[in-house]
Amino acid sequence: EDQVTQSPEALRLQEGESSSLNCSYTVSGLRGLFWYRQDPGKGPEFLFTLYSAGEEKEKERLKATLTKKESFLHITAPKPEDSATYLCAVRLISSGSARQLTFGSGTQLTVLP
Amino acid sequence: GAVVSQHPSRVICKSGTSVKIECRSLDFQATTMFWYRQFPKKSLMLMATSNEGSKATYEQGVEKDKFLINHASLTLSTLTVTSAHPEDSSFYICSARITGGNGYTFGSGTRLTVV
């Protein structure tokens, strides 16, 4: 069975304290791994797409990496405005023409000033 | 670019009534739209995939007669929750696939409360 697992469920950091969020996947065929940020009461906001092992992408304080089994979202020197729920999602080869995403349960990040 | 406008953002309705949620693609044509449901502090659960001009494909366990999806044009998809009950209270989010670029864009969500 295809599974996407995120850890930790919740993470509290002090401002400036760098850390990483994990998204591990057990899927039959990966056609893309996506990272989203979701603020309370809002829809997900796109951050990154990764397609192949070894790929890395950066945006401001965030950096996403991908291996054959997992992805990490590294947050460097976070600020309180980085507080949000971070979701990872995979698009599977088996989703075929539908191309739907399968989401992990998310990591709720709180950055304290 | 590639914005999906979803409304209403919040709706409160009485048990037994129906509620319609709209998602419009503002600057692109959305051949396929996805409808998700999200419970508090939980992830997005795919409910159905809608394709313009054809019947929606529902995920296992989702009642197609309760959650009516219409995708009559390339810019509009609607989800109607029929005969709503308190257990239908949730956060509903639509998404559209976009060619190239970031792949998928999401609406801002609708908080449905059934009283």
Side-chain angles (χ1 to χ4, degrees):
Chain A
E1 182 184 347
D2 297 321
Q3 280 196 331
V4 181
T5 304
Q6 288 189 249
S7 63
E9 286 188 16
L11 180 63
R12 292 167 67 91
L13 300 173
Q14 290 295 134
E15 184 171 2
E17 180 186 0
S18 301
S19 188
S20 297
L21 313 182
N22 178 264
C23 173
S24 63
Y25 57 93
T26 309
V27 300
S28 53
L30 182 70
R31 190 161 274 176
L33 185 141
F34 299 76
W35 281 99
Y36 289 90
R37 168 190 171 131
Q38 186 178 25
D39 292 301
K42 303 289 185 182
E45 174 189 339
F46 173 81
L47 293 175
F48 304 106
T49 308
L50 302 166
Y51 291 102
S52 56
E55 190 174 358
E56 298 183 352
K57 288 191 177 174
E58 285 188 69
K59 178 182 177 181
E60 296 179 354
R61 295 179 291 281
L62 300 177
K63 178 180 176 181
T65 62
L66 181 66
T67 72
K68 289 186 178 181
K69 294 293 184 184
E70 59 193 347
S71 177
F72 290 95
L73 184 65
H74 307 278
I75 302 177
T76 302
K79 298 182 178 182
E81 52 261 41
D82 294 322
S83 298
T85 295
Y86 290 84
L87 299 166
C88 83
V90 298
R91 183 187 148 194
L92 307 177
I93 291 174
S94 59
S95 66
S97 59
R99 300 187 177 97
Q100 68 265 33
L101 298 178
T102 300
F103 280 85
S105 54
T107 294
Q108 186 174 356
L109 173 66
T110 304
V111 182
L112 304 171
Chain B
V3 174
V4 171
S5 175
Q6 181 174 350
H7 69 89
S9 57
R10 291 177 177 272
V11 58
I12 300 173
C13 70
K14 292 184 177 180
S15 287
T17 62
S18 296
V19 173
K20 181 185 283 187
I21 301 169
E22 290 191 350
C23 274
R24 293 181 182 273
S25 56
L26 297 185
D27 47 5
F28 68 103
Q29 293 183 329
T31 307
T32 302
M33 277 207 180
F34 306 96
W35 287 93
Y36 293 88
R37 182 173 182 175
Q38 187 176 32
F39 292 101
K41 298 191 177 181
K42 297 292 183 182
S43 191
L44 280 71
M45 181 187 76
L46 181 66
M47 298 174 64
T49 302
S50 74
N51 293 294
E52 183 269 335
S54 63
K55 289 184 178 180
T57 303
Y58 291 81
E59 295 300 300
Q60 192 172 7
V62 177
E63 297 177 62
K64 60 181 66 177
D65 293 330
K66 166 168 272 300
F67 299 101
L68 299 179
I69 292 172
N70 184 282
H71 194 159
S73 78
L74 288 171
T75 59
L76 175 64
S77 179
T78 62
L79 167 67
T80 301
V81 182
T82 63
S83 186
H85 290 283
E87 56 265 32
D88 298 326
S89 298
S90 194
F91 193 56
Y92 294 88
I93 307 173
C94 64
S95 173
R97 182 178 171 271
I98 51 178
T99 55
N102 303 333
Y104 302 84
T105 186
F106 286 80
S108 54
T110 297
R111 170 73 59 194
L112 170 63
T113 303
V114 184
V115 298

